[in-house]
Amino acid sequence: MALHIFVEDRETRAYEILARRALEAAGAGDKVDRLRASKIDLRDLITTDGLRDLLSRAVRSGYDCVMFVMDQEARSSSPERPRLLARFKKSFTELCSYQAKLPERDPMRRARIIRVVCRRCLEGWLASDPQAVVDAVRGVRGTDYSPSYRQTEHLEPKKAGEQIVRWIREVGHRLGRRDLQRTTLRNVKSRSADIAEQLDPQRGRSYNASLAYFFDMVHCQRSGCDHPFPERG
């Protein structure tokens, strides 16, 4: 299996790591020959032609499973996002219809395609496992700090980021590390891959339904056309 994940987020490595963590946790890590995440323009996700082009490019490059991920974002800061998400869903549905009409032997027909809405952002996924945040920044020194878990499905990006900042600062306070105590929202993105490396899929899936769907579908055993993203998690 070869999986290509298309995201609008620049922190593509975090998505690759999360996918591999899920596969390894399920004992399926050796079934993936290639796993790659690429940043693409939002416009490519909201038109059928854009999705079709991404699928074609991925298949030509040898991928047989293609995932499209779009952030939900916050309505307050991105008032146009609901409309764009609706276009994303419509375009994917049309891509499924297009794919179903292709000849059986066409590689684009055989590829598994999947649509995921990241609720509400990558930070929301990472905040689903507070212990992963602690383990990612504590270094070799131990700490008994164990933040409480909470649902992050509807946590707006800024709120999710601020929560991660608080955890990191608390670790810094306990370890006497000023670099961690000075953490800001701008630092969270740069730490996303490190946090993803520590994230436990079983813990994370319990606190964010969209992340759970992502973890389920990276196995590429099912198509997102037949098992669509749950609109209400």
Side-chain angles (χ1 to χ4, degrees):
M1 181 191 81
L3 168 63
H4 199 150
I5 305 171
F6 290 106
V7 300
E8 58 172 322
D9 198 308
R10 67 178 184 274
E11 300 299 331
T12 58
R13 186 163 171 261
Y15 292 88
E16 293 176 356
I17 294 170
L18 288 173
R20 193 166 293 283
R21 290 281 292 169
L23 291 165
E24 291 174 349
D30 59 345
K31 296 182 180 179
V32 183
D33 300 317
R34 281 190 295 162
L35 196 165
R36 178 187 179 191
S38 300
K39 182 185 183 308
I40 44 89
D41 193 288
L42 173 62
R43 290 172 294 184
D44 292 327
L45 294 176
I46 58 175
T47 67
T48 307
D49 287 343
L51 292 180
R52 188 186 305 173
D53 181 62
L54 293 175
L55 173 60
S56 176
R57 284 162 43 191
V59 169
R60 287 200 307 271
S61 297
Y63 292 93
D64 54 7
C65 186
V66 183
M67 179 179 285
F68 310 103
V69 182
M70 182 173 170
D71 289 344
Q72 184 179 15
E73 294 290 354
R75 187 184 293 269
S76 57
S77 59
S78 302
E80 79 288 352
R81 188 56 53 144
R83 177 180 60 84
L84 297 177
L85 287 166
R87 290 179 61 182
F88 178 39
K89 179 181 178 182
K90 180 176 182 292
S91 297
F92 183 80
T93 300
E94 292 174 350
L95 180 65
C96 288
S97 298
Y98 167 79
Q99 187 187 47
K101 296 174 183 177
L102 292 173
E104 289 288 346
R105 294 184 179 181
D106 192 317
M108 288 179 61
R109 167 71 180 266
R110 297 197 300 269
R112 298 287 174 86
I113 55 176
I114 302 156
R115 178 183 71 97
V116 178
V117 175
C118 182
R119 290 177 173 158
R120 288 189 171 252
C121 57
L122 178 60
E123 290 88 344
W125 281 7
L126 299 178
S128 68
D129 187 358
Q131 192 60 49
V133 178
V134 173
D135 292 343
V137 300
R138 65 180 176 82
V140 296
R141 295 179 61 184
T143 175
D144 59 358
Y145 178 45
S146 297
S148 58
Y149 283 72
R150 61 178 293 188
Q151 293 292 326
T152 65
E153 178 86 357
H154 302 295
L155 205 58
E156 294 190 353
K158 184 179 179 181
K159 295 295 184 182
E162 289 173 342
Q163 184 61 75
I164 292 174
V165 167
R166 284 193 288 271
W167 293 329
I168 295 176
R169 286 179 176 175
E170 178 60 26
V171 173
H173 174 73
R174 292 176 179 237
L175 298 180
R177 287 183 53 184
R178 292 185 178 180
D179 61 321
L180 298 182
Q181 293 176 45
R182 292 194 293 265
T183 297
T184 66
L185 276 174
R186 288 180 294 178
N187 305 135
V188 172
K189 280 284 189 183
S190 64
R191 294 186 181 276
S192 61
D194 293 333
I195 298 172
E197 286 279 11
Q198 301 298 326
L199 193 144
D200 183 294
Q202 194 57 46
R203 292 197 300 249
R205 67 165 53 248
S206 299
Y207 294 93
N208 191 297
S210 68
L211 179 58
Y213 179 81
F214 173 83
F215 283 152
D216 288 340
M217 299 303 283
V218 294
H219 295 269
C220 295
Q221 296 176 348
R222 299 181 296 180
S223 165
C225 298
D226 300 323
H227 300 275
F229 177 81
E231 298 306 320
R232 297 182 180 276

